[in-house]
């Protein structure tokens, strides 16, 4: 049987989770109401993200990212995105990564007019993590070369991205997470888009964590509100025979 102290801790944890859930629902509802005052067509979309890192050497790892975007909550397909590459560990706090990505997307030109396109991306990025007590601040700089494929006119776009991310534990394995990411075109009109995320997450196991929150993409002439749900994982192959080894 559980002791009184254990029961008290369990009740505190349940109450905390309920307050956390209510806060998320309230924030999303408030934002949606405010946005609806300016647009009668406003509707929350969904951004489902699965990403992870597989360590194959003391300095080398393989990142994998998969994203499914819907214009409405889990409805009206927007795009599917897959990215991978190779990451090299420069220090305990910094890494560089290079690789490619594939994107399949739908453009809705009319009620019965849907255009499907595919893109190939090449990218390089630098990550820097800084710890202040339990708070983690991350910087990510990325350069991307994007082009349409399987078309007669393969348009090319080059852009740079900078993301500033903040993460702070708030209760045991529960954490607060927020980031802002600015996209700039190298050629043509400078501003491409800006992304903002505010939410909460939980470290489910030492290797797996999940977070959920409000996600916004701001373009010059449009604005997208979404609920972003992500699951991340880490795999370490350096402890078995599949890992690359230095002799």
């Amino acid at each position: 049987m559980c002791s009184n102290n254990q029961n008290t801790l369990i009740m505190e944890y349940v109450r905390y989770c309920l307050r956390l859930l209510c806060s998320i629902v309230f924030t999303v509802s408030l934002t949606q109401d405010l946005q609806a005052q300016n647009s009668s067509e406003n509707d929350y979309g969904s951004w489902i993200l699965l990403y992870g890192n597989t360590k194959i050497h003391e300095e080398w790892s393989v990142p994998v990212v998969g994203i499914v975007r819907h214009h409405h909550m889990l409805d009206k397909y927007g795009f599917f995105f897959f990215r991978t590459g190779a990451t090299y560990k420069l220090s305990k706090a910094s890494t560089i990564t290079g690789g490619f990505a594939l994107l399949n997307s739908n453009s809705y030109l009319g009620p019965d007019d849907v255009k499907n396109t595919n893109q190939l991306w090449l990218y390089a990025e630098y990550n820097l993590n800084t710890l202040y007590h339990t708070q983690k601040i991350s910087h990510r700089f990325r350069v991307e070369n994007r082009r349409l494929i399987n078309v007669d006119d393969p348009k090319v776009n080059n852009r740079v991205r900078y993301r500033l991310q903040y993460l702070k534990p708030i209760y045991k394995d529960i954490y607060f997470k927020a980031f802002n990411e600015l996209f700039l075109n190298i050629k043509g009109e400078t501003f491409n888009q800006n992304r903002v995320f505010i939410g909460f997450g939980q470290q489910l196991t030492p290797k797996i964590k999940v977070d959920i929150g409000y996600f916004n993409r701001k373009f010059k002439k449009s604005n997208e509100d979404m609920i972003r749900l992500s699951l991340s994982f880490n795999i370490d192959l350096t402890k078995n025979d599949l890992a690359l080894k230095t002799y």
Side-chain angles (χ1 to χ4, degrees):
M1 297 179 65
C2 297
S3 66
N4 291 334
N5 289 336
Q6 289 176 321
N7 288 330
T8 301
L9 289 175
I10 292 173
M11 291 304 298
E12 288 179 356
Y13 185 76
V14 171
R15 286 195 294 267
Y16 180 83
C17 291
L18 290 175
R19 290 197 298 268
L20 181 60
L21 179 60
C22 291
S23 298
I24 294 174
V25 173
F26 175 78
T27 301
V28 171
S29 300
L30 178 61
T31 307
Q32 187 172 16
D33 290 341
L34 292 175
Q35 189 71 20
Q37 295 177 8
N38 299 320
S39 174
S40 59
E41 299 179 353
N42 180 70
D43 189 10
Y44 270 80
S46 57
W47 187 282
I48 310 299
L49 172 65
L50 173 67
Y51 67 98
N53 198 57
T54 301
K55 186 177 180 181
I56 59 174
H57 185 270
E58 289 304 317
E59 285 84 31
W60 290 95
S61 59
V62 177
V64 175
V65 178
I67 301 173
V68 179
R69 159 81 170 108
H70 291 90
H71 292 284
H72 305 302
M73 191 63 63
L74 302 177
D75 187 33
K76 194 177 180 183
Y77 171 77
F79 66 75
F80 171 75
F81 176 87
F82 172 79
R83 175 171 65 84
T84 188
T87 297
Y88 180 74
K89 183 179 178 181
L90 297 173
S91 67
K92 291 183 178 180
S94 62
T95 62
I96 56 172
T97 302
F100 71 94
L102 298 173
L103 175 75
N104 175 269
S105 63
N106 277 355
S107 298
Y108 295 88
L109 308 177
D112 300 314
D113 188 5
V114 181
K115 181 180 180 181
N116 184 269
T117 57
N118 295 286
Q119 295 182 31
L120 169 65
W121 298 14
L122 302 176
Y123 76 97
E125 70 180 35
Y126 171 74
N127 284 273
L128 176 65
N129 299 316
T130 306
L131 286 176
Y132 293 97
H133 301 291
T134 60
Q135 304 172 73
K136 181 179 179 181
I137 297 177
S138 303
H139 306 268
R140 187 179 73 183
F141 303 87
R142 182 184 293 172
V143 179
E144 293 176 336
N145 172 273
R146 307 184 303 151
R147 61 189 64 212
L148 292 171
I149 56 177
N150 300 326
V151 294
D152 296 331
D153 183 17
K155 296 181 180 179
V156 178
N157 170 259
N158 297 306
R159 68 186 184 187
V160 294
R161 301 165 56 168
Y162 168 65
R163 187 186 72 182
L164 176 63
Q165 180 171 280
Y166 174 78
L167 191 149
K168 177 180 175 58
I170 53 177
Y171 185 82
K172 295 185 178 180
D173 52 4
I174 305 293
Y175 58 87
F176 170 79
K177 180 178 179 180
F179 67 74
N180 186 88
E181 185 169 20
L182 177 65
F183 294 61
L184 300 175
N185 295 316
I186 295 177
K187 185 178 180 180
E189 187 173 343
T190 303
F191 179 76
N192 181 277
Q193 64 176 282
N194 191 77
R195 296 180 180 179
V196 175
F197 172 79
I198 300 175
F200 299 91
Q202 182 175 11
Q203 189 80 43
L204 301 177
T205 73
K207 301 295 184 180
I208 299 176
K209 60 183 177 181
V210 61
D211 56 62
I212 185 172
Y214 167 73
F215 185 48
N216 173 268
R217 292 204 301 170
K218 175 66 177 178
F219 301 91
K220 183 179 180 180
K221 297 182 180 180
S222 62
N223 192 61
E224 296 179 350
D225 297 309
M226 287 166 277
I227 300 300
R228 180 181 182 270
L229 174 65
S230 70
L231 176 68
S232 65
F233 63 90
N234 285 291
I235 300 174
D236 188 351
L237 297 181
T238 61
K239 298 179 181 180
N240 58 46
D241 294 337
L242 294 177
L244 299 177
K245 296 181 180 180
T246 302
Y247 295 95

